Amino acid sequence: MLSKNIEKLLQDQVKKEASSSQTYLSMACWADVKGYNGAADFLYAHSDEERMHMLKLVKFLNERGSQATISELKAPKKDFGSLKEVFESILEHEVKVTESINNIITACLKENDHLTNNFMQWYISEQMEEEQLARSIIDKLEMIGSDTSSLYLFDRELGTSMQQHHQ
Ligand code: FEO
């Protein structure tokens, strides 16, 4: 059985992952209509990944004697100034998610909940990867600046890198 405190933290995390999925879906829509097809594919796939993160937590809660709560979500932002702004908000968002996962692990250590701690380790490595990826995309977008032909090529590259990642 999960302690009340750990259960609450995991339930909150379900909501955060669901909301990440919605956020990336909204970004994907923006990219799609702006003609950034590669970025749109990347973001649609990222949205699916977040749903998978959520589902893993949902199943963990259900298997550990609790019942996952599926909550109402706030509508995500739908307008962005640039592709760089999209990835900057992704990074900002992921840094907060990492913080929240760290908090869960700290609570698990305090309460000697080794099982949940072990389960959450997967999320920590995932966060490291996601933060790194967002940082490297922002760096590239910074280099590209207002060079539209480089931006066009980079957008295509984003779409292909996503396909490779999912093979
Ligand atoms: Fe599920 Fe991007 O954190």
Side-chain angles (χ1 to χ4, degrees):
M1 281 291 276
L2 294 162
S3 76
K4 279 269 159 281
N5 180 38
I6 304 278
E7 184 190 339
K8 162 94 176 58
L9 291 170
L10 293 176
Q11 298 279 21
D12 289 349
Q13 195 63 34
V14 167
K15 192 170 177 183
K16 283 177 188 161
E17 301 291 346
S19 145
S20 299
S21 180
Q22 294 277 85
T23 299
Y24 297 140
L25 186 57
S26 182
M27 289 170 170
C29 294
W30 177 87
D32 216 354
V33 301
K34 293 285 175 193
Y36 296 120
N37 298 335
D41 284 349
F42 176 93
L43 292 160
Y44 283 127
H46 199 157
S47 170
D48 283 347
E49 274 186 30
E50 297 298 347
R51 185 180 150 78
M52 186 269 282
H53 296 175
M54 177 204 65
L55 217 49
K56 255 171 103 86
L57 278 158
V58 160
K59 289 182 177 165
F60 183 77
L61 275 157
N62 294 343
E63 278 159 15
R64 301 278 296 138
S66 309
Q67 183 178 337
T69 308
I70 309 304
S71 329
E72 196 176 5
L73 301 170
K74 238 175 77 188
K77 185 173 159 171
K78 62 183 285 194
D79 287 312
F80 301 88
S82 64
L83 201 54
K84 188 162 155 259
E85 193 186 303
V86 167
F87 283 96
E88 279 166 349
S89 39
I90 289 183
L91 178 60
E92 202 181 306
H93 183 83
E94 290 302 336
V95 167
K96 280 194 203 131
V97 174
T98 304
E99 219 176 83
S100 133
I101 285 166
N102 272 331
N103 287 340
I104 301 177
I105 291 176
T106 307
C108 290
L109 293 174
K110 269 193 202 141
E111 298 187 26
N112 285 323
D113 184 344
H114 301 296
L115 212 140
T116 309
N117 178 16
N118 186 46
F119 171 74
M120 292 309 296
Q121 294 303 316
W122 180 86
Y123 284 84
I124 280 289
S125 347
E126 188 70 13
Q127 283 312 116
M128 251 177 51
E129 267 183 38
E130 287 193 354
E131 281 190 27
Q132 257 170 14
L133 184 60
R135 282 195 180 95
S136 73
I137 293 174
I138 293 167
D139 285 349
K140 282 186 189 141
L141 287 169
E142 228 148 56
M143 276 188 330
I144 289 167
S146 54
D147 178 354
T148 45
S149 54
S150 301
L151 189 59
Y152 173 78
L153 290 174
F154 180 64
D155 177 60
R156 279 193 17 189
E157 203 186 293
L158 260 182
T160 337
S161 73
M162 181 281 306
Q163 277 156 12
Q164 280 160 357
H165 185 71
H166 287 271
Q167 264 168 11

